Amino acid sequence: METYDKKQVEQLKPETARGEVGVLSMEGLDVGVKIADVRVRFGHIDYLVKPLNGKGEVWVERHRVQVMV
């Protein structure tokens, strides 16, 4: 779990991740995802991700998603 102060959040500009594609690593599984939304809560940055194949969505912490560049 990673936490960020207000200045770090401003520097990271997490809102720019909306629409990006990445890989969610979870319990030994890597899943291709698209970042649908971003929220900052109590020093944590969360992404709302949707799978590239399949359906559903889930909020996960930023550090669990590797954004593809």
Side-chain angles (χ1 to χ4, degrees):
M1 183 181 305
E2 295 184 30
T3 58
Y4 306 91
D5 63 30
K6 187 175 181 178
K7 186 173 183 173
Q8 289 172 315
V9 170
E10 289 172 2
Q11 290 173 341
L12 289 170
K13 299 179 183 174
E15 65 280 353
T16 61
R18 279 189 193 96
E20 295 290 331
V21 173
V23 175
L24 169 63
S25 296
M26 189 163 133
E27 299 177 20
L29 186 66
D30 292 338
V31 179
V33 296
K34 184 171 186 175
I35 301 169
D37 202 1
V38 178
R39 70 181 180 193
V40 178
R41 58 173 184 86
F42 305 107
H44 300 277
I45 299 172
D46 297 330
Y47 292 156
L48 178 64
V49 296
K50 298 180 178 188
L52 296 177
N53 294 304
K55 59 184 177 178
E57 61 186 21
V58 65
W59 285 101
V60 297
E61 290 190 18
R62 176 182 181 266
H63 71 273
R64 294 178 62 188
V65 180
Q66 179 182 354
V67 176
M68 307 308 283
V69 187

